[in-house]
Amino acid sequence: MTDVDLEFARVRQVLDRPTLRLMSRPTSAAVVSVFRTVFDRDVQYVPADRMHLQVEEHVARLQATGARVPAGDSPSGDLPAGEAPRPNGRSLCREWVAAQWLVRSNSPDGDEQYSLTSHALEALSLIDALSSERALISESRLAMIVDAVHRWAARAEPDRDTHVRRLDAQIAELQAERDRLARGDEVVTVDEDRMRDGYTNLTDLIRQLPSDFKRVEEAVATMHREIVEDFRQEVRPIGEILDDYLARTDNLMESTPEGRAFQGAFELLRDDALLLRLRDDITTILEHPFASSLSATERRTFRGTVGILRQGIEDVLAQRRMLTATLRDQIVAHDVVRDRELDAVLRSVNRGLAAWMDTGSARDRVPLGLLPPSAAVGTLREKFHDPDSESVPPPIEEPDDDVFEDIDVESLRRHGGPLLAELRDALAHAATGSSVEAFHALPAEQRRPVELFGLAHLLTGHPDFEAGTASAPHHTVRPDGEPVTFHMPTAALAPAGDAPGPDDEPGQEAR
């Protein structure tokens, strides 16, 4: 093969990866938008029922706006907005699982849930990186490369004297900086532009962490399936199987590149002091003046870097624990003879079905006895004799007529609403004065607090009362004899001859 043939094969293999297939389809914008909306930074797993409903709602909304949306029921799955049918969330999610963009698993409670694969996370990270404004070549990026090269060169140096000279140079540089600050010199900090450049460079690296951890988790899951499948096909003695698979379990993280990379990162991140220092450094960066230009989402995402690291490690370790538990169950419950008998039965069933399909038609029926016949068991007694069921119920108690006290009309009136007739008569026959004086002239049993509502009703429409220019205390007496004082606007009353009559409307003068 020529060089161009080799390059063509390599490029085609890369373009066939699920990551680029997700970004190269006509409906990529819609699919990525749905993934970004459903799986937020803080949401890694979504229940299956909720996922189906959200996918239907989001795709239908994009379809209404004229976007090119996926159609799970169509052969191609990519139709223009005007030709796409009503989206079906379940079929779309099933199609995305087959395309290796979603993973369907069981939660600890046994419910089905969806999560993004490493390919989908890598596509989202690439879109975030391309959509952000950043310089391709910056001082912080070059400084990070130079520092990383210098640090790893120091670790790769085998000469002891060279190591000593490097350490002496670092000690001298740090001691000179300490002496300068101890003398009271000014602390040199970077400006906002350079700080934002460094922050952008850090966020580019942090954005790649979820897909990296998910890739390790998928590698462990793949090895899980391979080990279980190999285990089921083994015909060796159980002791030899046990020794072999226990050895593979011990070296699990060292058998793949992803496992070895994670093992190194795990050893580094297992140091709690290192994570605490990382959290303090993040807080220091966010306290710089440049951070005032960051949005709340950017600040929350950057502050959650330690949480991303811990969650990624926990997911990988959970996958490892599940692999260990599966291997333990397989080793304990595995029966080679029984599995071979079951395989033989299934193969014979398949051969019988193949022979029947050669001669049978689509409408032929074969009676199959799926359940054994009912056992001939006599009817057993379901209920035993209970003497209480034949006893006479207790007699009904007669009600006590003395429980309620006798209530007369006067008692009801005393606890009822305002006495409008008495109030209207008091206002009509009052001498010159105010309404409060006419109210106080009433006997105690007619000056209840509720009478103030009746007084306000009768004075409605009076200019003095409506304007509320004069307010006076009204001394009332509750039915139990307790005095209560309320403040309410008053009105000047006309002479008795000009007062409103009992048949006039409230607030109107009698003619």
Side-chain angles (χ1 to χ4, degrees):
M1 296 180 64
T2 61
D3 294 341
V4 67
D5 294 331
L6 294 175
E7 287 297 329
F8 178 78
R10 185 178 67 85
V11 172
R12 187 173 59 181
Q13 182 180 4
V14 172
L15 293 178
D16 288 339
R17 293 181 57 184
T19 301
L20 294 182
R21 282 193 284 107
L22 173 58
M23 302 180 62
S24 60
R25 296 179 59 174
T27 59
S28 298
V31 177
V32 173
S33 300
V34 171
F35 286 169
R36 174 61 71 201
T37 305
V38 175
F39 295 95
D40 193 67
R41 291 286 185 182
D42 302 328
V43 178
Q44 295 184 358
Y45 299 94
V46 178
D49 296 337
R50 186 190 305 173
M51 179 73 179
H52 298 159
L53 292 177
Q54 289 183 341
V55 168
E56 288 183 4
E57 293 177 359
H58 296 326
V59 174
R61 182 174 181 85
L62 293 174
Q63 182 179 356
T65 58
R68 192 179 183 93
V69 297
D73 297 332
S74 66
S76 63
D78 300 332
L79 293 177
E83 302 177 8
R86 175 70 182 179
N88 184 283
R90 184 182 299 274
S91 62
L92 286 176
C93 291
R94 184 168 57 248
E95 178 182 324
W96 295 341
V97 170
Q100 302 182 29
W101 302 334
L102 288 179
V103 174
R104 188 164 185 167
S105 59
N106 293 329
S107 65
D109 298 334
D111 299 330
E112 292 184 340
Q113 60 185 6
Y114 287 100
S115 62
L116 294 177
T117 63
S118 61
H119 307 292
L121 290 173
E122 188 176 5
L124 297 182
S125 176
L126 181 58
I127 290 177
D128 290 341
L130 294 177
S131 61
S132 61
E133 298 180 358
R134 63 184 181 90
L136 297 178
I137 299 178
S138 61
E139 178 184 358
S140 63
R141 186 175 295 269
L142 294 178
M144 182 176 296
I145 295 174
V146 172
D147 292 340
V149 172
H150 180 74
R151 184 172 63 255
W152 287 106
R155 294 183 180 183
E157 179 60 52
D159 186 46
R160 182 181 294 102
D161 295 336
T162 304
H163 267 293
V164 172
R165 288 195 300 270
R166 288 177 180 270
L167 293 176
D168 290 340
Q170 293 179 5
I171 293 173
E173 182 180 358
L174 295 176
Q175 185 66 36
E177 180 65 16
R178 181 188 181 282
D179 295 340
R180 187 184 68 82
L181 296 176
R183 291 194 303 267
D185 294 346
E186 181 182 2
V187 178
V188 180
T189 58
V190 298
D191 54 12
E192 296 187 11
D193 293 337
R194 297 175 63 187
M195 199 68 189
R196 171 168 283 280
D197 182 37
Y199 164 79
T200 304
N201 194 20
L202 291 176
T203 54
D204 288 341
L205 298 176
I206 296 172
R207 194 181 294 113
Q208 301 173 12
L209 290 177
S211 61
D212 294 340
F213 282 117
K214 181 62 70 171
R215 191 175 294 108
V216 178
E217 183 180 351
E218 291 174 355
V220 176
T222 302
M223 181 171 292
H224 180 192
R225 291 190 297 269
E226 293 176 353
I227 290 178
V228 171
E229 185 65 25
D230 294 342
F231 191 91
R232 291 174 178 173
Q233 296 177 0
E234 287 286 354
V235 292
R236 294 178 296 172
I238 188 64
E240 184 179 350
I241 297 174
L242 179 62
D243 294 338
D244 185 14
Y245 283 100
L246 287 179
R248 292 183 64 179
T249 303
D250 293 337
N251 300 326
L252 178 64
M253 300 307 295
E254 299 180 0
S255 58
T256 60
E258 294 86 356
R260 290 191 295 270
F262 173 78
Q263 192 69 22
F266 178 69
E267 293 294 336
L268 181 65
L269 298 176
R270 193 168 55 181
D271 188 358
D272 293 336
L274 178 64
L275 293 179
L276 181 60
R277 189 181 67 182
L278 176 60
R279 185 180 290 107
D280 295 339
D281 292 341
I282 291 175
T283 302
T284 303
I285 293 175
L286 292 178
E287 291 177 352
H288 193 273
F290 96 96
S292 59
S293 61
L294 300 179
S295 63
T297 303
E298 292 175 338
R299 297 173 64 91
R300 184 176 66 254
T301 302
F302 189 63
R303 196 182 298 276
T305 301
V306 178
I308 294 176
L309 296 175
R310 290 187 180 275
Q311 184 63 42
I313 293 175
E314 180 61 29
D315 291 341
V316 176
L317 294 181
Q319 192 69 33
R320 289 180 59 182
R321 287 192 295 267
M322 185 175 66
L323 171 59
T324 304
T326 303
L327 291 177
R328 183 178 63 250
D329 296 340
Q330 289 285 341
I331 292 173
V332 172
H334 184 62
D335 189 345
V336 177
V337 177
R338 185 179 60 185
D339 289 349
R340 294 179 66 181
E341 292 177 352
L342 179 60
D343 292 340
V345 172
L346 293 177
R347 283 194 295 269
S348 64
V349 171
N350 290 332
R351 287 194 299 268
L353 289 175
W356 177 68
M357 291 297 295
D358 293 338
T359 59
S361 62
R363 296 183 178 274
D364 291 343
R365 295 184 179 182
V366 177
L368 298 177
L370 299 180
L371 296 176
S374 301
V377 180
T379 302
L380 301 177
R381 183 180 293 275
E382 298 179 356
K383 184 177 181 181
F384 296 96
H385 175 69
D386 187 4
D388 294 336
S389 61
E390 299 180 359
S391 61
V392 180
I396 300 176
E397 298 181 358
E398 296 293 335
D400 189 1
D401 296 335
D402 298 334
V403 175
F404 303 100
E405 299 179 355
D406 295 335
I407 301 177
D408 54 0
V409 178
E410 293 299 330
S411 178
L412 291 176
R413 285 175 58 87
R414 188 166 56 252
H415 292 84
L419 306 174
L420 293 178
E422 287 79 352
L423 287 173
R424 186 181 289 108
D425 184 67
L427 294 178
H429 297 85
T432 57
S434 62
S435 60
V436 65
E437 295 176 356
F439 179 76
H440 288 160
L442 294 171
E445 61 271 10
Q446 297 181 9
R447 286 189 289 109
R448 301 173 301 161
V450 73
E451 306 297 346
L452 296 180
F453 290 97
L455 182 62
H457 172 70
L458 295 176
L459 294 178
T460 300
H462 199 287
D464 295 343
F465 183 79
E466 293 287 345
T469 57
S471 178
H474 292 64
H475 304 290
T476 62
V477 181
R478 289 180 175 174
D480 57 0
E482 180 184 358
V484 183
T485 302
F486 297 93
H487 290 267
M488 192 176 73
T490 62
L493 299 179
D498 299 334
D503 296 332
D504 295 335
E505 293 295 332
Q508 300 293 330
E509 296 180 355
R511 290 181 173 82

